[in-house]
Amino acid sequence: MVELRFEGAHDYEKVMCLTCILERHRVEERVEKIKIGKIVNAVALRGEVKVYHYSDYKERFEELDEILVERNAAKKRAVESYAIERVRYQKDMVILKLKGVDDRNAAEALKDCDVFITEADLRELPEDTFYVRDLIGCRVVNLQEGTEASEEIGVITDVLQNSAQDIYQVKTEAGKEVLIPAVGEFVKEINIDEKVVKVSLIPGFIHGATEA
């Protein structure tokens, strides 16, 4: 059984043991940053900020020593590191007290700023569990049942979600789009090192592809 992890937007727990802890919004500068939330407001008078988190596991902020906050002043993006002094919750929102942010004015100055972590802060995943970021760009190969032959389908461009299961969005060489449910019935092997996902699809499945 394949399990997916997302650390960031959407995105993302699903059925078929496909746990989704969203990871989508990736920014690259000197180091790679993974967006995990957005500061939406100040809280009270002592410098706390309210964070809308992009994860179904909001307690992950308790595992962090610091976060990166990206300011966008005068169209010049600046990333600053803030140590986390305290974490609490207000319904589904995360309330953070950041070191050096000690009054409401300082907290309001961070409103609408995106919150990131670095790759080093990503949680270690169990075996057969993958971040969406690692699946994007993987080649998808269809195994021919009963033979050693295989057929190249295309490349994973996204992982979609609905109420039933996660879905690989695959772009073919012809520019068409194939949607493959990420379930054990179809997905047989994932090799992140080689960037290959092996699937076994029923006859006629790919013929339903649409123009991308």
Side-chain angles (χ1 to χ4, degrees):
M1 188 73 69
V2 178
E3 185 176 350
L4 304 182
R5 292 276 179 158
F6 296 73
E7 187 93 41
H10 309 193
D11 326 217
Y12 330 16
E13 276 185 314
K14 301 289 182 183
V15 299
M16 305 302 293
C17 297
L18 297 177
T19 303
C20 300
I21 301 180
L22 307 180
E23 180 269 336
R24 293 264 182 109
H25 306 276
R26 189 172 71 173
V27 180
E28 292 186 7
E29 291 177 351
R30 296 179 184 175
V31 294
E32 187 171 1
K33 307 190 302 297
I34 296 91
K35 188 184 294 186
I36 62 169
K38 187 183 189 72
I39 296 174
V40 296
N41 214 339
V43 180
L45 303 175
R46 298 184 178 180
E48 290 181 316
V49 295
K50 181 182 294 186
V51 177
Y52 178 81
H53 62 95
Y54 300 146
S55 171
D56 60 0
Y57 176 62
K58 63 178 182 290
E59 292 80 7
R60 72 109 55 252
F61 283 85
E62 299 176 33
E63 302 169 358
L64 299 172
D65 294 323
E66 63 181 20
I67 56 172
L68 302 176
V69 176
E70 184 178 77
R71 295 176 179 266
N72 188 15
K75 297 183 179 180
K76 292 184 179 180
R77 296 184 181 277
V79 178
E80 299 176 346
S81 175
Y82 288 89
I84 297 175
E85 294 185 341
R86 187 168 61 249
V87 181
R88 64 185 181 90
Y89 309 99
Q90 195 175 81
K91 295 184 178 179
D92 289 332
M93 305 295 283
V94 178
I95 309 299
L96 298 180
K97 173 61 179 71
L98 304 177
K99 186 174 182 178
V101 182
D102 299 318
D103 57 44
R104 188 173 182 88
N105 288 338
E108 287 182 341
L110 298 179
K111 184 177 178 181
D112 296 327
C113 290
D114 291 319
V115 174
F116 297 84
I117 57 175
T118 66
E119 279 196 329
D121 289 321
L122 287 174
R123 296 155 63 198
E124 185 175 348
L125 298 181
E127 186 178 356
D128 295 327
T129 304
F130 308 93
Y131 283 116
V132 169
R133 62 197 299 278
D134 294 326
L135 290 168
I136 302 299
C138 283
R139 296 166 41 238
V140 179
V141 176
N142 188 31
L143 305 175
Q144 304 296 320
E145 187 175 356
T147 72
E148 295 184 359
S150 63
E151 174 189 9
E152 191 95 10
I153 298 177
V155 175
I156 295 177
T157 57
D158 203 352
V159 178
L160 311 177
Q161 298 165 68
N162 59 25
S163 58
Q165 71 274 315
D166 297 288
I167 297 173
Y168 295 159
Q169 179 176 289
V170 180
K171 186 175 182 179
T172 69
E173 291 186 358
K176 293 188 176 183
E177 182 180 277
V178 179
L179 301 178
I180 302 176
V183 295
E185 178 183 356
F186 297 124
V187 180
K188 300 305 179 183
E189 181 183 337
I190 296 176
N191 189 321
I192 295 298
D193 292 334
E194 296 184 7
K195 299 292 286 183
V196 174
V197 174
K198 295 181 180 180
V199 300
S200 181
L201 305 178
I202 59 176
F205 189 101
I206 300 176
H207 295 307
T210 59
E211 295 291 343

